[in-house]
PDB file of all heavy atoms in Angstrom:
ATOM      1  N   GLU A1133     -15.411   4.861   4.480  1.00 96.00           N
ATOM      2  CA  GLU A1133     -14.814   4.788   5.756  1.00 96.00           C
ATOM      3  C   GLU A1133     -13.445   4.172   5.910  1.00 96.00           C
ATOM      4  O   GLU A1133     -12.499   4.561   6.519  1.00 96.00           O
ATOM      5  CB  GLU A1133     -15.747   4.163   6.888  1.00 96.00           C
ATOM      6  CG  GLU A1133     -16.939   4.985   7.160  1.00 96.00           C
ATOM      7  CD  GLU A1133     -17.971   4.338   8.123  1.00 96.00           C
ATOM      8  OE1 GLU A1133     -17.800   3.108   8.366  1.00 96.00           O
ATOM      9  OE2 GLU A1133     -19.002   4.874   8.423  1.00 96.00           O
ATOM     10  N   ARG A1134     -13.407   2.912   5.139  1.00 94.00           N
ATOM     11  CA  ARG A1134     -12.101   2.269   5.209  1.00 94.00           C
ATOM     12  C   ARG A1134     -10.986   3.144   4.509  1.00 94.00           C
ATOM     13  O   ARG A1134      -9.846   3.231   4.913  1.00 94.00           O
ATOM     14  CB  ARG A1134     -12.130   0.885   4.403  1.00 94.00           C
ATOM     15  CG  ARG A1134     -12.927  -0.189   5.334  1.00 94.00           C
ATOM     16  CD  ARG A1134     -13.080  -1.473   4.464  1.00 94.00           C
ATOM     17  NE  ARG A1134     -11.980  -1.913   3.810  1.00 94.00           N
ATOM     18  CZ  ARG A1134     -12.052  -2.732   2.726  1.00 94.00           C
ATOM     19  NH1 ARG A1134     -13.299  -3.192   2.294  1.00 94.00           N
ATOM     20  NH2 ARG A1134     -11.020  -3.155   2.008  1.00 94.00           N
ATOM     21  N   LEU A1135     -11.320   3.805   3.377  1.00 93.00           N
ATOM     22  CA  LEU A1135     -10.387   4.558   2.698  1.00 93.00           C
ATOM     23  C   LEU A1135     -10.035   5.821   3.441  1.00 93.00           C
ATOM     24  O   LEU A1135      -8.812   6.142   3.423  1.00 93.00           O
ATOM     25  CB  LEU A1135     -11.134   5.085   1.381  1.00 93.00           C
ATOM     26  CG  LEU A1135     -10.218   5.622   0.299  1.00 93.00           C
ATOM     27  CD1 LEU A1135      -9.131   4.679  -0.204  1.00 93.00           C
ATOM     28  CD2 LEU A1135     -11.098   6.000  -0.946  1.00 93.00           C
ATOM     29  N   ASP A1136     -10.921   6.458   4.232  1.00 94.00           N
ATOM     30  CA  ASP A1136     -10.575   7.546   5.084  1.00 94.00           C
ATOM     31  C   ASP A1136      -9.564   7.080   6.218  1.00 94.00           C
ATOM     32  O   ASP A1136      -8.668   7.727   6.486  1.00 94.00           O
ATOM     33  CB  ASP A1136     -11.833   8.126   5.697  1.00 94.00           C
ATOM     34  CG  ASP A1136     -12.672   8.977   4.823  1.00 94.00           C
ATOM     35  OD1 ASP A1136     -12.122   9.376   3.724  1.00 94.00           O
ATOM     36  OD2 ASP A1136     -13.832   9.225   5.170  1.00 94.00           O
ATOM     37  N   LYS A1137      -9.790   5.916   6.707  1.00 93.00           N
ATOM     38  CA  LYS A1137      -8.791   5.373   7.633  1.00 93.00           C
ATOM     39  C   LYS A1137      -7.460   5.257   7.260  1.00 93.00           C
ATOM     40  O   LYS A1137      -6.493   5.558   7.813  1.00 93.00           O
ATOM     41  CB  LYS A1137      -9.303   3.947   8.355  1.00 93.00           C
ATOM     42  CG  LYS A1137     -10.459   4.245   9.308  1.00 93.00           C
ATOM     43  CD  LYS A1137     -10.859   2.799   9.839  1.00 93.00           C
ATOM     44  CE  LYS A1137     -12.124   2.946  10.575  1.00 93.00           C
ATOM     45  NZ  LYS A1137     -12.664   1.698  11.158  1.00 93.00           N
ATOM     46  N   ILE A1138      -7.470   4.743   5.956  1.00 90.00           N
ATOM     47  CA  ILE A1138      -6.035   4.488   5.227  1.00 90.00           C
ATOM     48  C   ILE A1138      -5.442   5.900   5.119  1.00 90.00           C
ATOM     49  O   ILE A1138      -4.170   5.969   5.423  1.00 90.00           O
ATOM     50  CB  ILE A1138      -6.232   3.775   3.984  1.00 90.00           C
ATOM     51  CG1 ILE A1138      -6.579   2.232   4.288  1.00 90.00           C
ATOM     52  CG2 ILE A1138      -4.977   3.803   3.059  1.00 90.00           C
ATOM     53  CD1 ILE A1138      -6.961   1.521   2.966  1.00 90.00           C
ATOM     54  N   HIS A1139      -6.153   6.837   4.508  1.00 88.00           N
ATOM     55  CA  HIS A1139      -5.626   8.191   4.432  1.00 88.00           C
ATOM     56  C   HIS A1139      -5.177   8.811   5.664  1.00 88.00           C
ATOM     57  O   HIS A1139      -4.095   9.497   5.707  1.00 88.00           O
ATOM     58  CB  HIS A1139      -6.527   8.996   3.581  1.00 88.00           C
ATOM     59  CG  HIS A1139      -6.684   8.713   2.204  1.00 88.00           C
ATOM     60  ND1 HIS A1139      -5.715   8.873   1.205  1.00 88.00           N
ATOM     61  CD2 HIS A1139      -7.654   8.072   1.499  1.00 88.00           C
ATOM     62  CE1 HIS A1139      -6.081   8.353   0.096  1.00 88.00           C
ATOM     63  NE2 HIS A1139      -7.276   7.947   0.149  1.00 88.00           N
ATOM     64  N   LYS A1140      -5.935   8.644   6.684  1.00 90.00           N
ATOM     65  CA  LYS A1140      -5.660   9.186   8.078  1.00 90.00           C
ATOM     66  C   LYS A1140      -4.248   8.573   8.546  1.00 90.00           C
ATOM     67  O   LYS A1140      -3.441   9.345   9.015  1.00 90.00           O
ATOM     68  CB  LYS A1140      -6.701   8.999   8.984  1.00 90.00           C
ATOM     69  CG  LYS A1140      -6.445   9.553  10.345  1.00 90.00           C
ATOM     70  CD  LYS A1140      -7.691   9.435  11.324  1.00 90.00           C
ATOM     71  CE  LYS A1140      -7.380   9.938  12.686  1.00 90.00           C
ATOM     72  NZ  LYS A1140      -8.413   9.592  13.595  1.00 90.00           N
ATOM     73  N   VAL A1141      -4.159   7.292   8.573  1.00 85.00           N
ATOM     74  CA  VAL A1141      -3.029   6.617   8.999  1.00 85.00           C
ATOM     75  C   VAL A1141      -1.790   7.065   8.090  1.00 85.00           C
ATOM     76  O   VAL A1141      -0.664   7.300   8.658  1.00 85.00           O
ATOM     77  CB  VAL A1141      -3.156   5.141   8.954  1.00 85.00           C
ATOM     78  CG1 VAL A1141      -1.807   4.477   9.177  1.00 85.00           C
ATOM     79  CG2 VAL A1141      -4.215   4.594  10.024  1.00 85.00           C
ATOM     80  N   GLY A1142      -2.019   7.215   6.782  1.00 80.00           N
ATOM     81  CA  GLY A1142      -0.914   7.661   5.903  1.00 80.00           C
ATOM     82  C   GLY A1142      -0.407   8.964   6.369  1.00 80.00           C
ATOM     83  O   GLY A1142       0.852   9.336   6.186  1.00 80.00           O
ATOM     84  N   ARG A1143      -1.212   9.893   6.637  1.00 83.00           N
ATOM     85  CA  ARG A1143      -0.879  11.281   7.022  1.00 83.00           C
ATOM     86  C   ARG A1143      -0.137  11.218   8.388  1.00 83.00           C
ATOM     87  O   ARG A1143       0.883  11.927   8.608  1.00 83.00           O
ATOM     88  CB  ARG A1143      -2.045  12.148   7.148  1.00 83.00           C
ATOM     89  CG  ARG A1143      -2.610  12.599   5.830  1.00 83.00           C
ATOM     90  CD  ARG A1143      -3.653  13.737   5.995  1.00 83.00           C
ATOM     91  NE  ARG A1143      -4.728  13.353   6.820  1.00 83.00           N
ATOM     92  CZ  ARG A1143      -5.891  12.876   6.328  1.00 83.00           C
ATOM     93  NH1 ARG A1143      -6.057  12.594   5.100  1.00 83.00           N
ATOM     94  NH2 ARG A1143      -6.951  12.426   7.057  1.00 83.00           N
ATOM     95  N   GLU A1144      -0.510  10.261   9.221  1.00 81.00           N
ATOM     96  CA  GLU A1144       0.154  10.214  10.585  1.00 81.00           C
ATOM     97  C   GLU A1144       1.443   9.654  10.308  1.00 81.00           C
ATOM     98  O   GLU A1144       2.396  10.036  11.113  1.00 81.00           O
ATOM     99  CB  GLU A1144      -0.680   9.354  11.445  1.00 81.00           C
ATOM    100  CG  GLU A1144      -1.937   9.986  11.952  1.00 81.00           C
ATOM    101  CD  GLU A1144      -2.916   9.063  12.762  1.00 81.00           C
ATOM    102  OE1 GLU A1144      -2.504   7.859  12.957  1.00 81.00           O
ATOM    103  OE2 GLU A1144      -3.858   9.599  13.222  1.00 81.00           O
ATOM    104  N   ILE A1145       1.735   8.604   9.514  1.00 73.00           N
ATOM    105  CA  ILE A1145       2.960   8.056   9.303  1.00 73.00           C
ATOM    106  C   ILE A1145       3.916   8.978   8.474  1.00 73.00           C
ATOM    107  O   ILE A1145       5.056   9.084   8.865  1.00 73.00           O
ATOM    108  CB  ILE A1145       2.785   6.719   8.585  1.00 73.00           C
ATOM    109  CG1 ILE A1145       2.143   5.713   9.544  1.00 73.00           C
ATOM    110  CG2 ILE A1145       4.300   6.151   8.213  1.00 73.00           C
ATOM    111  CD1 ILE A1145       1.861   4.370   8.730  1.00 73.00           C
ATOM    112  N   GLY A1146       3.447   9.495   7.353  1.00 62.00           N
ATOM    113  CA  GLY A1146       4.133  10.062   6.420  1.00 62.00           C
ATOM    114  C   GLY A1146       4.732  11.385   6.678  1.00 62.00           C
ATOM    115  O   GLY A1146       5.765  11.867   6.229  1.00 62.00           O
TER     116      GLY A1146
END
Side-chain angles (χ1 to χ4, degrees):
E1133 286 174 356
R1134 285 176 48 202
L1135 195 58
D1136 284 343
K1137 285 180 186 178
I1138 289 172
H1139 287 289
K1140 182 179 178 185
V1141 169
R1143 284 191 300 270
E1144 290 173 359
I1145 290 175

